[in-house]
Amino acid sequence: MADTYDYDLFTIGAGSGGVRASRVAAAHGARVAVAEEYRVGGTCVIRGCVPKKMLVYGAHFAEDLEDAKSFGWTIGEKRFDWATLRDHVQNDVTRLEGLYGQTLSNHDVTVFPERATITGDHQITLASGKVVTAKTILIATGARPHVPDFPGNEHAITSNEAFHLAEIPRRILIVGGGYIANEFAGIFNEFGSKVTIANRSDTILRGYDESLRDRLLQISMVKGIEFCFNAEFERVEKTAEGCLRVKLTGQEEREFDVVMLATGRVPNIEGLGLETVGVECGKRGQIVVDAYSRTNVDYIYAVGDVTDRVQLTPVAIREGQAFADSVFGPGEPYAVDHSCVPSAVFSHPPIAAVGMTEGQARNTLGSVKVYQADFRPMKNVVAGRNERSLYKMIVDAANDRIVGIHMIGPEAPEIMQAAAVAVKAGLTKADFDATVAIHPTMAEELVLFK
Ligand code: NDP
């Protein structure tokens, strides 16, 4: 029966999850095709994590060049050319897109560079009109920026457009208080923009440990980033001079050069033909799946942001891998463990976290011990930069097990990746104490908590 289908697997969407699933399924011997209407690589590679991190590196030079003076360096005139960085980043994105495409072709995966729609049972119709059939269909179409409804929202950009700006705005309003808002606030601020963040609630980075959020807020304000809380849009108008006149609730009307929306991401489910075959979607527009990424239709699966489980690239990759191994591999099906996922915000300075926040631990566990190191990194001391790092370790008092680690400070995400292994493995505070410090480092604070 399987031979009557054109493909064993048809994947819709060649982002992180879709590419991993397609490549691994093909390596297991499946005949695989993937459709991608935009660029192979998806959000992470094309307009997300990867180009964003390059901008973060570029932005950090603003402080590094300044700090270099305290280390004895004479720096000539400091000048930043956005077009150079923007174009280098885009060239690298194109290089990576090519590598992703090569990975697929090396595994004999057929790529259709066009939109695909499910038009019947096991049937897909491509934008060109070609109709193909597949035994299994995987939906890995990701998510897109959410654009709130308010008069003038057509004048705003999202992170998609931020990578391609003709010039760095003199004044930018970033709307939202999450990952993207704080990362781009840091980037634009270092590039010299006057940055204002406006969020609908009175907090930033909901879900992260409160002490770290407070520390980022305080450091960001010292750097000159302005915050407006409990502020929602009333309207945005374009002025005759080409500026954007913005009215937020509780605020005077103000002008900005760019308004950027960073108000969450919504799953891409439109136009996929889900209703044709009856795939169930949830309240947030996500495709509903079980632990094995199965939808309610037995031959259709979904992985990554379109399922809105944990909207992070490494999670989508794991889901794609688990799907391909489970459906096409020789072993038993297995599910991805979504617990204890480490994460980072590449703000200035960055935040990294794994496990429970202090608040979550206090609500969940009987008794909790909290260890804290609040220190000025050596490099900041020499540079005369009054910016302090904060590390927190949350321990279950009943058994000494570490249930969470939270850090804000230089290189926090790099340090966290290793520390997260220990938390995931269920190590105790005593295990950290028994480990000799590497001195002098910032990371040594993790084994010196008193
Ligand atoms: P986040 O979910 O991080 O933050 C969304 C922000 O927008 C919140 O501050 C929220 O307010 C606010 N908001 C949500 N809905 C609305 C609305 N309807 N109107 C106005 N404001 C709203 O989303 P981002 O857009 O920053 O990022 C999307 C996702 O992409 C993240 O959740 C993350 O999973 C992923 N990502 C990960 C990165 C990383 O790993 N470093 C980097 C960038 C993105 P409040 O919560 O205060 O109510």
Side-chain angles (χ1 to χ4, degrees), residues 204-222:
I204 59 167
L205 291 170
R206 189 190 296 284
Y208 277 89
D209 191 273
E210 209 170 326
S211 329
L212 275 79
R213 299 183 328 192
D214 283 351
R215 181 60 54 91
L216 178 63
L217 188 61
Q218 176 231 325
I219 294 175
S220 299
M221 285 164 72
V222 169

Side-chain angles (χ1 to χ4, degrees), residues 336-350:
V336 172
D337 176 3
H338 288 98
S339 69
C340 216
V341 173
S343 64
V345 186
F346 293 94
S347 42
H348 278 75

Side-chain angles (χ1 to χ4, degrees), residues 52 146 148 175-181 183 199-201 203 205-206 232 262-265 310-312 344-346:
K52 180 275 314 285
H146 163 67
V175 184
Y179 284 81
I180 296 178
E183 291 180 345
N199 197 23
R200 64 174 177 182
S201 67
T203 186
L205 291 170
R206 189 190 296 284
E232 297 207 37
T263 47
R265 297 178 62 85
V310 181
Q311 285 188 334
L312 295 175
V345 186
F346 293 94

